[in-house]
Amino acid sequence: MCVEASHKVFPEWQSLQASKVKSLHRTAFHFQPPKNWINDPNAPMYYNGIYHLFYQYNPYGSTWGNIVWAHSISTDMINWTPLDPAIYPSKPFDVNGTWSGSATILPGNKPVIVYTGVDGQNRQVQNIAFPKNLSDPFLREWVKPDYNPVIVADNGINASQFRDPTTAWLGQDGHWRFLVGTRRKHRGMVLLYKSKDFKYWWKVQHPLHSAAGTGMWECPDFYPVALEGEFGLETSVNDYGVKFVLKVSLDLTRYEYYTVGRYFEDQNRYVPDITSVDNGMGLRYDYGNFYASKTFFDYGKSRRILWGWANESDTADNDVSKGWAGIQTIPRKVWLDKSGKQLLQWPIKEINSLRGSDVHLRSVVLAKGGLVEVRPITAAQADVEVTFLIPNLHKAQAFDPSWVDPQQLCGQMGASVQGGIGPFGLLTLASKNLEEYTSVFFRVFRGIYKKHVVLMCSDQSRSSLRPEVYKPSFGGFVDLDLTDGVISLRSLIDHSAVESFGAGGKTCITSRVYPTLATNEDAHLFAFNNGTEAVTILKLSAWNMNKPRIN
Ligand code: DQQ
């Protein structure tokens, strides 16, 4: 086994087709192709009324390898139609790989893709591709001009660590710009390239931004967010009413981090706000299984949409035997929180169109040890929204300031470890007698520097009776003013995926799990409280989710 572009390569498996695709644990309303391996979402875009999603895909097996850009289209980002791969190795400048990249809509309404090619000498280079026929509404075929590559690694850049161009933006000076991820020794960074014509590119002397000790920055994303309101901004907007977000996918940890800050275009620098931790330990879009994400500006609905890849938590030989691996998370709208310190994320509203029959609870008190089954519902394929009220906030246990790692804390204090206020939340994908469940819950502590510290966990440790599965207890803190004692949780449950949104999308966690008992009709959903203090379910609504047409 070796590692390439951070993906484990199993040479003996990368072209091994499963004889039959196993449907157990396949998701119903998440984006998946019918079989094989997928990873990063690429070049998502909205063009003339159609959403395009490209993604890294292995046409020959369910581990990473033989990567092409698979292509699907949609009018609602819920139902998807597959097309033939749009970009695949075919030229000297990408003969060894067509890796991740992004789309830009050029003036005159002309889309262009910039992607990383791996050339004949295994160097990572940046290439561009245009639609062959702009009057084809589906943009099926893409042409790579012979003047590619448009960027090669110059002296001082490690050509095997030089990839994943961002969407380009147009500066005040009329020059295009995009970023490419790289590292110098252990310093992760994004290099800034400029062009007048999108063909000839030159590198700005210094990186737009870098951080010591963070290693290779994969799949960077850089975009403006409005200081007020939930609407999104086109990537070239840069005025007094905006801040900027820089997101990087850290190859070292396989987690993603973002900062919120200012972009000084004339100095070619991005400076994170002092409230944004900038050392690879700061804010994350998602504290669970979520990587290589990318946003795009949806011209149709003036919002910014985030796609992320949720890999399997299963072993590679199980991926091979089930014949598929990887899903894309539900597209999320992203915007800046009122505090200006973090983003908020929420599943696109189109997902609500899949909601079928429903069940509602109101004003249910969950005393210490309380457990309420939410039924009748197809708990393996559901959308749940719940609002809790914590009446006795003063009973919260003290927070120890040495608890800096939320994931570690969730690992030590699972759903079965009694607390003061919490753990309370949901047991998703639960078997009838609770041999299996994925718990998504909160704990509230009394803080020192702030009134309350809220911890959110998505705990996979009891998710499956199968011992070989990776079962972390993911966790993140929720920056919430709890004075009214109200906190909300939404979970999208889809057979092997549990995507959860705490406090209106302040903290999000995606889990991939493989129950053996809690499958299909045998899956259950519970609300629970394992704190000494009672909490009240002010309102809970759960819906069966219908299955859209996906690929
Ligand atoms: N996946 C791609 C690379 C990228 C990595 C290769 C991130 O371009 O750096 O499949 O998952």
Side-chain angles (χ1 to χ4, degrees), residues 472-488:
S473 305
F474 290 125
F477 291 114
V478 192
D479 188 4
L480 182 66
D481 176 8
L482 250 188
T483 30
D484 60 358
V486 173
I487 186 163
S488 69

Side-chain angles (χ1 to χ4, degrees), residues 12-66:
E12 68 281 24
W13 285 342
Q14 59 177 290
S15 299
L16 200 66
Q17 295 269 0
S19 52
K20 190 173 167 292
V21 172
K22 292 188 186 153
S23 59
L24 185 71
H25 299 132
R26 271 182 72 79
T27 57
F29 58 93
H30 281 74
F31 184 100
Q32 287 194 268
K35 59 181 181 179
N36 295 337
W37 164 273
I38 74 169
N39 55 290
D40 319 356
N42 288 154
M45 72 170 154
Y46 177 81
Y47 183 68
N48 289 353
I50 295 194
Y51 294 99
H52 295 254
L53 181 65
F54 306 85
Y55 54 97
Q56 299 273 289
Y57 176 65
N58 180 354
Y60 304 119
S62 44
T63 61
W64 187 84
N66 316 302

Side-chain angles (χ1 to χ4, degrees), residues 442-481:
F442 300 109
R443 277 176 194 272
V444 180
F445 301 95
R446 199 174 63 248
I448 295 175
Y449 308 112
K450 51 197 268 185
K451 252 181 163 173
H452 298 105
V453 179
V454 181
L455 176 72
M456 174 173 163
C457 305
S458 182
D459 181 2
Q460 299 178 198
S461 60
R462 302 288 296 269
S463 59
S464 173
L465 294 179
R466 282 177 43 210
E468 73 275 22
V469 170
Y470 174 53
K471 296 178 203 157
S473 305
F474 290 125
F477 291 114
V478 192
D479 188 4
L480 182 66
D481 176 8

